[in-house]
């Protein structure tokens, strides 16, 4: 059974995907999705906090994607992979005290395996590992 944190990440990734595809306020989309589909999430604060971190660090996240996936223009990147990368990088550059870097990376890889293509997991792993070793971001073991 998936943990409520994993489900929160799924909800944030899907809400960000919807935000990019249709527009609208990310927090409003997330709140709606949590209300409609988040019954198994015991603490919605985690999901809301992740989404607010995405909004806060979005420019830096995009720059890190451009730096560490230069062969994939961000605008032409698979939208599911892009949403997963945004979420994963958000957790790496503004880490939670109780979420080790390896957990954030592994959660993103699992999302990629579930929602992406056959190669998404490897792609997400490569980019997030490169970001994790980038000296410009905060470090947390």
């Amino acid at each position: 059974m998936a943990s409520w944190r994993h489900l929160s990440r799924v909800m944030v990734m899907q809400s960000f995907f919807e935000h990019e595809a249709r527009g609208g306020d990310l927090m409003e989309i997330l709140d709606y999705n949590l209300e409609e589909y988040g019954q198994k999430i015991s603490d919605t604060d985690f999901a809301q906090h992740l989404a607010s971190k995405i909004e806060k660090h979005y420019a830096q996240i995009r720059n890190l994607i451009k730096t560490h996936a230069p062969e994939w223009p961000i605008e032409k990147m698979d939208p599911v992979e892009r949403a997963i990368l945004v979420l994963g990088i958000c957790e790496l550059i503004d880490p939670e005290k109780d979420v080790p870097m390896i957990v954030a990376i592994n959660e993103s890889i699992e999302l990629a395996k579930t929602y992406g293509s056959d190669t998404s997991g490897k792609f997400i792993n490569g980019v997030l590992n490169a970001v994790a070793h980038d000296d410009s971001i905060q470090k947390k073991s």
Side-chain angles (χ1 to χ4, degrees), residues 8-135:
S8 293
R9 288 180 177 97
V10 170
M11 196 69 58
V12 172
M13 182 271 299
Q14 291 175 339
S15 296
F16 181 79
F17 176 89
E18 182 179 344
H19 163 74
E20 280 206 320
R22 297 177 41 194
D25 181 82
L26 175 58
M27 298 306 288
E28 288 179 11
I29 294 168
L30 177 62
D31 288 343
Y32 174 82
N33 288 336
L34 287 169
E35 179 71 27
E36 290 294 315
Y37 310 108
Q39 293 81 14
K40 293 183 180 179
I41 298 173
S42 61
D43 183 1
T44 59
D45 290 347
F46 181 73
Q48 292 165 332
H49 183 65
L50 285 175
S52 68
K53 287 191 333 182
I54 288 172
E55 288 183 326
K56 177 181 177 185
H57 298 289
Y58 188 64
Q60 181 184 8
I61 292 167
R62 283 182 63 91
N63 286 334
L64 285 165
I65 292 172
K66 288 177 184 178
T67 299
H68 297 292
E71 66 282 359
W72 295 100
I74 196 164
E75 295 79 17
K76 295 186 180 196
M77 189 177 286
D78 178 90
V80 171
E81 290 177 352
R82 185 173 52 239
I84 295 167
L85 279 177
V86 167
L87 174 62
I89 293 172
C90 157
E91 289 198 81
L92 295 178
I93 64 173
D94 190 4
E96 297 296 317
K97 293 177 185 158
D98 61 340
V99 180
M101 191 176 291
I102 190 69
V103 171
I105 292 171
N106 286 340
E107 283 286 330
S108 294
I109 293 167
E110 289 305 313
L111 290 174
K113 288 178 180 179
T114 302
Y115 296 99
S117 70
D118 292 341
T119 60
S120 294
K122 290 180 183 180
F123 174 67
I124 297 298
N125 184 35
V127 175
L128 292 182
N129 274 304
V131 171
H133 291 93
D134 188 316
D135 291 334

